[in-house]
Amino acid sequence: MKNKKSLILSSVMVLLPMVAGIILWDQLPERMPSHWGIDGQVDGWSGKFFGVFGLPLMMLGFHWICALAMKLDKQNQTGSNRKVMDMILWLFPAMSVMMSGFVYASALGEEIRMTTLMTVPMGLLFVIIGNYLPKCRLNSTLGIKLKWTFNNEENWNKTHRFGGITWVICGLGVILCGLLDWQ
């Protein structure tokens, strides 16, 4: 990876919620919410240790797997997907902080409207990915990987331009649903 500083800094940010968990340790219950159903109600619980350390460590694992996959892809060696790699590096810290924040707030008794709090960021994620899809150059790690997209660069570019528009429109629809709090 050309920019190891970004990977190190983003990895530290992924683990930042553990510091908050340690600070809140005495206030957190032994059993913490760790999953919400489609109806927005808690339907999964975990121990305090997993809630504070396990979730950020899992996010860190996914973070490193994605970074490693990008590094090992021979078609990415030119650095042409640098913007896409930066997006991936900074999405994981944002998700880790957001998810741990929801877990801690809910564990501390705050009323969480999970359907809204997850739907809006998920829609925003779709919009961000949609904006980056057209910037994604031909590779075997990221993008819309269909047989005809690999045939030539023009097919790849047109597919990703159309896919990007589609993701943005769908993301805006998801955000609208979240703001209207349809259940």
Side-chain angles (χ1 to χ4, degrees):
M1 174 163 298
K2 290 188 179 186
N3 196 347
K4 292 179 184 172
K5 286 182 184 178
S6 290
L7 180 61
I8 291 168
L9 183 59
S10 59
S11 295
V12 169
M13 295 293 291
V14 168
L15 297 176
L16 200 56
M18 290 180 0
V19 174
I22 292 168
I23 292 168
L24 296 169
W25 188 267
D26 291 335
Q27 298 169 19
L28 293 172
E30 288 303 318
R31 198 171 143 218
M32 296 173 54
S34 57
H35 190 270
W36 286 260
I38 193 135
D39 61 353
Q41 301 300 312
V42 176
D43 65 0
W45 300 85
S46 64
K48 184 182 349 185
F49 186 84
F50 180 80
V52 171
F53 297 105
L55 294 175
L57 287 172
M58 282 178 27
M59 290 300 292
L60 182 65
F62 292 132
H63 182 62
W64 286 348
I65 288 169
C66 288
L68 183 62
M70 286 291 292
K71 175 155 177 53
L72 294 177
D73 186 348
K74 292 188 186 329
Q75 293 171 319
N76 281 329
Q77 299 304 317
T78 63
S80 62
N81 283 319
R82 183 76 217 152
K83 288 183 180 182
V84 177
M85 183 62 186
D86 287 342
M87 177 198 63
I88 289 170
L89 281 179
W90 293 105
L91 280 176
F92 282 98
M95 288 189 308
S96 179
V97 168
M98 184 181 70
M99 288 186 334
S100 292
F102 294 157
V103 168
Y104 295 160
S106 183
L108 293 171
E110 293 294 322
E111 186 65 34
I112 303 288
R113 293 190 59 80
M114 194 53 73
T115 52
T116 301
L117 289 174
M118 283 308 295
T119 306
V120 172
M122 186 174 20
L124 183 60
L125 179 64
F126 281 27
V127 170
I128 291 169
I129 290 172
N131 276 312
Y132 276 94
L133 266 178
K135 296 171 182 72
C136 187
R137 298 294 144 237
L138 185 64
N139 72 88
S140 58
T141 308
L142 296 170
I144 302 168
K145 298 179 293 286
L146 302 169
K147 186 175 182 178
W148 72 81
T149 61
F150 286 117
N151 285 342
N152 69 42
E153 189 118 9
E154 184 180 354
N155 283 343
W156 177 273
N157 292 335
K158 285 183 179 181
T159 300
H160 284 78
R161 202 169 304 122
F162 178 76
I165 292 167
T166 304
W167 276 67
V168 168
I169 291 169
C170 291
L172 293 172
V174 170
I175 291 170
L176 180 64
C177 289
L179 292 175
L180 295 174
D181 201 18
W182 289 345
Q183 292 184 12

